Amino acid sequence: MPELPEVETTRLGLLPMLGSSVLKLEVMQTRLRLPVPESLSAIEGQRLDTLTRRGKYLLLGTAKGSALIHLGMSGSLRLTANTEPYRKHDHVALVLNNDWSLRFHDPRRFGLFLWLEDEPLNHKLLASLGPEPLTPAFSAEHLYRLSRTKKQAIKSFIMDGHVVVGVGNIYANEALFYAGIHPLTPAKDLSLTDYQRLYQHIYRILGAAIERGGTTLRDFVNSKGDPGYFQQELMVYGREGKPCMICQQSLQLVRVNNRSTVYCSHCQPAFSE
Ligand SMILES: [Zn+2]
């Protein structure tokens, strides 16, 4: 699943198309997570002015409105030559005036390609999102304040997009390990000092992942099927049953909100009053 760092990498890779105009919209499949709206045809003739990101949503801005795009579970966006034939699962294409075409490809069709005429940040999908993790709006104090009444597991809490955007499963596993926090600890039971530690590691791990362009493991498996370098840097994710890199105890696996969660019961002791 594309995580925030991959979405940011996608955004950076598409910036060269800004300034070009849309000659034609081609929609091969309207049935995505929400239907591709008829109103998207308003993008024809428009110049692509901006490409911004909010959480894992991309906003392609024009004078008339914005396309709101989400990659879902398996989506990708790429620029191809206009002459290249469509691939299976290319659902939406913007044919540009410079012989290029922006293509939205999504085999599982959990993605989105919407059209918004009003201020996109007020749209219901975006308005309630938590802060971006690498901005000053995200802090230990923010986590502490929001968590005071939350009995939910800390791992679910930090993965909730209303709390902070972009902390996907891998990042949550790793940050909790480095912070020495058991993933099932009720969010309200952690102190400000705990949140300061956790915040630092979330910031550091996501910052590094964005710099590298994401950690999706399949991207780091080379053509021989050997895992790439990033997997060797992961302390807990995907390492259940293997020895903890700090204390050598066997790492445990638990499901939290149905997401696989690996932790060290020695380095991340269960919370007790
Ligand atoms: Zn350990």
Side-chain angles (χ1 to χ4, degrees):
M1 175 169 17
E3 296 286 356
L4 187 145
E6 285 103 348
V7 177
E8 179 62 14
T9 302
T10 295
R11 188 184 76 82
L12 294 173
L14 294 177
L15 290 178
M17 74 181 175
L18 294 182
S20 54
S21 299
V22 180
L23 287 180
K24 195 161 181 283
L25 167 72
E26 292 188 339
V27 179
M28 279 64 75
Q29 168 63 270
T30 58
R31 285 174 302 149
L32 301 180
R33 179 151 69 90
L34 294 171
V36 178
E38 298 262 347
S39 58
L40 182 60
S41 61
I43 204 167
E44 287 188 345
Q46 293 296 300
R47 189 183 62 211
L48 304 177
D49 288 331
T50 55
L51 181 62
T52 55
R53 181 186 58 73
R54 181 71 179 96
K56 296 204 292 184
Y57 294 91
L58 290 169
L59 284 162
L60 183 53
T62 74
K64 257 195 179 174
S66 310
L68 173 68
I69 304 164
H70 193 282
L71 302 178
M73 304 286 283
S74 60
S76 60
L77 280 168
R78 60 185 194 125
L79 281 171
T80 65
N82 262 338
T83 49
E84 195 175 305
Y86 287 119
R87 295 182 298 170
K88 197 179 175 186
H89 309 301
D90 279 347
H91 303 316
V92 180
L94 302 181
V95 179
L96 306 179
N97 64 343
N98 55 3
D99 300 330
W100 290 86
S101 156
L102 174 68
R103 297 188 181 173
F104 178 75
H105 180 87
D106 186 5
R108 296 183 64 183
R109 292 197 272 117
F110 283 104
L112 291 175
F113 209 118
L114 302 176
W115 178 251
L116 312 179
E117 276 166 11
D118 301 327
E119 166 55 45
L121 295 179
N122 295 336
H123 187 270
K124 61 180 190 293
L125 289 169
L126 305 186
S128 65
L129 290 180
E132 291 289 325
L134 302 185
T135 64
F138 178 56
S139 64
E141 290 74 18
H142 167 81
L143 290 174
Y144 181 72
R145 192 159 26 81
L146 280 191
S147 62
R148 291 308 79 202
T149 55
K150 300 278 167 49
K151 292 180 191 160
Q152 74 189 130
I154 182 60
K155 179 160 179 260
S156 311
F157 179 71
I158 57 174
M159 289 181 68
D160 178 350
H162 302 101
V163 172
V164 55
V165 298
V167 184
N169 195 36
I170 297 176
Y171 309 114
N173 272 278
E174 295 295 302
L176 287 166
F177 174 80
Y178 281 106
I181 296 171
H182 191 289
L184 290 172
T185 311
K188 69 178 181 56
D189 290 345
L190 292 171
S191 67
L192 181 57
T193 317
D194 293 326
Y195 277 113
Q196 280 161 346
R197 244 170 27 249
L198 184 54
Y199 161 77
Q200 275 178 11
H201 290 294
I202 292 173
Y203 189 96
R204 180 181 61 75
I205 290 167
L206 268 174
I210 287 171
E211 219 163 80
R212 286 195 184 100
T215 61
T216 303
L217 296 180
R218 64 176 179 273
D219 294 342
F220 289 86
V221 173
N222 67 23
S223 55
K224 289 181 194 148
D226 304 323
Y229 71 96
F230 197 85
Q231 192 165 28
Q232 288 156 25
E233 285 177 36
L234 293 173
M235 298 296 271
V236 286
Y237 183 81
R239 298 194 65 246
E240 60 270 21
K242 299 206 168 101
C244 170
M245 299 208 197
I246 306 294
C247 75
Q248 312 305 320
Q249 277 202 25
S250 182
L251 295 174
Q252 310 285 308
L253 175 69
V254 64
R255 310 271 319 166
V256 180
N257 249 358
N258 211 27
R259 301 301 301 276
S260 83
T261 305
V262 184
Y263 70 101
C264 172
S265 56
H266 177 74
C267 299
Q268 298 164 269
F271 182 82
S272 55
E273 304 270 352

